[in-house]
Amino acid sequence: MAAASPIVCVPFTLGVLLLLLSTTIWSAAPVQRGSTSAPPFVEDGAVPPIRAATAAAAAAEVAAAALRAAAAAYMPDVFDPAEPDAPPAAFLPEEEWRNPCWRRASDGALRCLPLVHVLGGYQCGSSDLFARLSRHDDFARPSHAAPSFYFEQNHKWPAYVRTFERAAAKIAARPRAAVSGEGSAGMLTLTWTHSERLHQPYITTMGARWQLCNANRTRDADADARFNACMAAHIPAAHAADAALVARAGAALEVPYLLRAVQGTRVRLIALLRNPTDRLYAAFWHYPHYRKKFGGSEAGFAAYHAEMAAHAAACAEVHGVDACALRFESLERRFERVFYHCDQHYKGLYAPFVRVWARAYAPEWR
């Protein structure tokens, strides 16, 4: 039997077929491991060979170790040797425990992470789906449905693990049946604002530069132009700060690789995709700041859409669609100044993000 894929993309609108793959969350059969080749950022010969039972097992060990080492630069609190709840190199046997669980070395307390990740997208019904999954008898609900740990900057690993303490108690009673999960909808769309954890040096640098550029700001006609020129002049330094982090890590990672560094392939990923125009229209009416600026009317939506599409087209002409989807406001000062950085436009542009998730979890896809 072919292995179940960890990724599910579910179109939200009627009349659209299921996209690419499906899987059974509560299947009793353990998931087969995916590709044993090293991640694409691991150079051949970068790590010494390891003696193992088979060459495939050795390759898998090298790949996992290299990925954890890279991810530790971005998430030092997760892989801190002094952290009692640091994730193990190997979880409890999958044949006995559906979820990625382990026993804490200090006291044997059971710790579990979510098997199921409802990734989003926004305005695509992901919260509703997670609520429906939570009503299943075998679902071990966490204390917070959307902890958003992997992409938001201020969340700490011990608090994230505690989110699943209640779920772990239910899993302990039925380890082969119970399943936990989370519904952090921002996981799917890997825009700049949903990748904060990966760009802390840039954010810190530009925050300090904002204070510097704003300190001597005047009220004359040229004040805004001088302020923007000052901010633009510091963008290279912010990118250099990010590049230094990448150099320490040995890899420029995206959010899916952080998740894989912690859980390996012991996950089920579910993405709901909605017609992009319908999704954008829903977002316009859901968030009041768009209506406040453009007007709460059909004409207001049309004006909003036209302006955002023009900015996105200008970015793509210079940097390409994928770079703009992933890094729009960091590419140039003029894009950083765009109202909410074309965020809703890019959140409906699924392909660049799905490609990154596929590279992380289904490298055999083409």
Side-chain angles (χ1 to χ4, degrees):
M1 180 179 293
S5 168
I7 303 178
V8 187
C9 295
V10 184
F12 183 71
T13 49
L14 294 176
V16 184
L17 295 177
L18 289 178
L19 177 63
L20 297 177
L21 299 168
S22 63
T23 188
T24 304
I25 294 173
W26 279 282
S27 169
V31 181
Q32 279 188 310
R33 291 293 179 256
S35 170
T36 56
S37 59
F41 55 81
V42 179
E43 298 180 2
D44 292 340
V47 273
I50 299 174
R51 290 185 176 275
T54 66
E61 290 175 14
V62 170
L67 181 55
R68 284 194 298 271
Y74 296 90
M75 305 188 300
D77 59 321
V78 176
F79 297 99
D80 183 352
E83 168 53 53
D85 287 327
F91 296 108
L92 293 172
E94 196 165 359
E95 295 78 11
E96 302 173 18
W97 299 79
R98 296 286 291 137
N99 272 72
C101 297
W102 72 100
R103 297 285 181 184
R104 191 164 63 182
S106 59
D107 58 7
L110 183 68
R111 294 291 182 259
C112 292
L113 295 175
L115 176 71
V116 180
H117 290 260
V118 180
L119 307 175
Y122 284 117
Q123 282 73 54
C124 292
S126 57
S127 296
D128 179 74
L129 174 63
F130 186 82
R132 292 170 187 268
L133 290 174
S134 298
R135 292 199 291 270
H136 194 286
D137 289 342
D138 289 336
F139 195 86
R141 188 179 177 91
S143 59
H144 186 358
S148 303
F149 172 78
Y150 288 97
F151 60 93
E152 292 185 355
Q153 59 180 319
N154 295 320
H155 302 300
K156 301 301 181 184
W157 177 252
Y160 180 67
V161 175
R162 286 196 298 272
T163 299
F164 300 95
E165 280 186 337
R166 182 175 67 187
K170 183 171 182 177
I171 290 169
R174 304 181 66 208
R176 297 186 62 184
V179 167
S180 189
E182 65 164 278
S184 299
M187 288 278 279
L188 176 66
T189 51
L190 308 173
T191 59
W192 183 259
T193 51
H194 286 88
S195 304
E196 290 178 336
R197 186 176 286 277
L198 299 167
H199 305 290
Q200 284 304 291
Y202 181 100
I203 293 170
T204 301
T205 300
M206 290 304 290
R209 296 303 187 264
W210 183 91
Q211 293 180 328
L212 177 66
C213 294
N214 200 48
N216 299 316
R217 197 168 183 175
T218 60
R219 295 182 179 274
D220 58 80
D222 296 330
D224 285 346
R226 287 198 303 272
F227 174 77
N228 288 320
C230 180
M231 290 293 290
H234 293 297
I235 288 178
H239 282 302
D242 259 9
L245 173 58
V246 171
R248 291 197 302 274
L253 299 186
E254 299 288 348
V255 168
Y257 287 98
L258 300 184
L259 176 61
R260 181 157 185 163
V262 173
Q263 293 192 209
T265 57
R266 199 153 167 180
V267 293
R268 293 292 187 278
L269 307 174
I270 304 175
L272 284 81
L273 311 181
R274 187 180 187 179
N275 179 295
T277 302
D278 294 340
R279 199 216 65 79
L280 181 65
Y281 188 77
F284 178 83
W285 290 101
H286 180 75
Y287 300 106
H289 47 270
Y290 301 116
R291 302 193 304 278
K292 183 177 180 180
K293 178 176 173 61
F294 294 94
S297 65
E298 299 299 315
F301 171 74
Y304 164 72
H305 176 267
E307 183 173 318
M308 297 303 109
H311 288 304
C315 182
E317 185 177 357
V318 178
H319 301 284
V321 172
D322 281 27
C324 294
L326 296 168
R327 304 286 181 262
F328 179 76
E329 56 264 47
S330 74
L331 295 173
E332 299 180 36
R333 174 62 180 167
R334 61 170 170 155
F335 299 135
E336 198 280 331
R337 297 177 63 201
V338 171
F339 186 73
Y340 278 83
H341 317 305
C342 291
D343 58 341
Q344 298 303 333
H345 172 90
Y346 287 117
K347 286 176 182 178
L349 196 68
Y350 309 116
F353 312 127
V354 171
R355 278 195 285 270
V356 177
W357 281 100
R359 285 198 298 271
Y361 276 97
E364 70 277 9
W365 285 7
R366 295 293 182 265

